[in-house]
Amino acid sequence: MSARITGISSMATRALLADLAQAYEQQTGIVVAIQAVGGVDAVKRVQAGEAFDAVFLASDAIDRLIASGHVTGERMDLVRSPVAIAVRQGAPRPDVSTEEALKTAVRAARRISYSTGPSGVHLQRLFERWGIASEIAPRTVQAPPGVPVGSLVARGDVELGFQQLSELMHLPDVDVIGGLPGDTQFITTFSAGVCAQSTQVAAVHALLAFMNSPQVAESKRRHGMEPA
């Protein structure tokens, strides 16, 4: 077995995967080096044939990579991640406890932001369903791939930021004020797959089994996610 496993992930699971990689290295002596980039960029790099052993992305992205032959075997679901709402630390905290309250807060915000990932797609559809997409479009900033929405919130560039809880909860100068309320909530399942370029499939399977074991469940919760 190699003493090093490489991987690529989206930003949403960056902190969690770093913790799990460190724990796995301590347990086995095998180094796990995972690059975290924007999800769109991660997909492009795997499709381009870069030599990674494993890829960690939203489940639908993994499914597409399996269908195109860039990931082999079945995907392994790792965590379920909700969408949260954030404001700049110390800023007024609007009521977001109900769907109607959230809609009012969005319409009142000077600027809002969401990501290019699954949560951003969900919010675009939600705003369209509410009939306010055109109204708020001039005040909406879509964070580029790999740029945390929370960084725009922390700088004061936007008043309301929407992204996975795992990406917002540990950022400095950001207050998480809640999750999407009720039926507006959207849960993303983040999964893993073995890259077709990998020459150490058994080693990757062993790593993924560890990442899905009961012993790491509490670590997942500390990062704002639930085991899949």
Side-chain angles (χ1 to χ4, degrees), residues 28-213:
T28 66
I30 298 170
V31 174
V32 180
I34 301 173
Q35 297 183 36
V37 299
V40 173
D41 291 336
V43 169
K44 289 180 179 178
R45 290 174 64 178
V46 172
Q47 290 175 333
E50 282 199 46
F52 297 108
D53 293 307
V55 57
F56 305 84
L57 293 167
S59 58
D60 60 336
I62 295 292
D63 286 342
R64 290 194 297 272
L65 290 173
I66 291 172
S68 64
H70 294 92
V71 166
T72 61
E74 298 181 358
R75 78 167 199 249
M76 176 176 284
D77 296 338
L78 297 177
V79 290
R80 301 174 71 248
S81 176
V83 180
I85 309 163
V87 298
R88 190 177 187 182
Q89 191 173 57
R93 302 164 69 100
D95 180 11
V96 294
S97 60
T98 66
E99 181 170 354
E100 193 59 36
L102 175 60
K103 181 178 177 181
T104 298
V106 169
R107 296 183 72 183
R110 177 177 56 85
R111 298 187 92 182
I112 68 168
S113 182
Y114 50 75
S115 74
T116 55
S119 62
V121 174
H122 170 70
L123 285 160
Q124 292 177 56
R125 291 171 178 165
L126 180 63
F127 298 152
E128 289 168 0
R129 178 164 67 81
W130 285 347
I132 66 171
S134 297
E135 173 191 337
I136 67 172
R139 298 182 280 115
T140 299
V141 178
Q142 188 171 42
V147 175
V149 170
S151 67
L152 305 181
V153 175
R155 291 201 303 262
D157 293 347
V158 300
E159 289 183 349
L160 281 183
F162 299 84
Q163 201 161 26
Q164 308 299 142
L165 174 60
S166 61
E167 295 189 75
L168 292 171
M169 62 188 297
H170 298 308
L171 291 178
D173 302 320
V174 167
D175 286 338
V176 175
I177 61 173
L180 294 183
D183 292 340
T184 68
Q185 181 55 272
F186 179 76
I187 305 296
T188 300
T189 297
F190 288 96
S191 308
V194 181
C195 294
Q197 295 284 340
S198 179
T199 59
Q200 44 186 352
V201 174
V204 179
H205 283 164
L207 168 66
L208 299 186
F210 168 81
M211 289 184 166
N212 236 7
S213 65

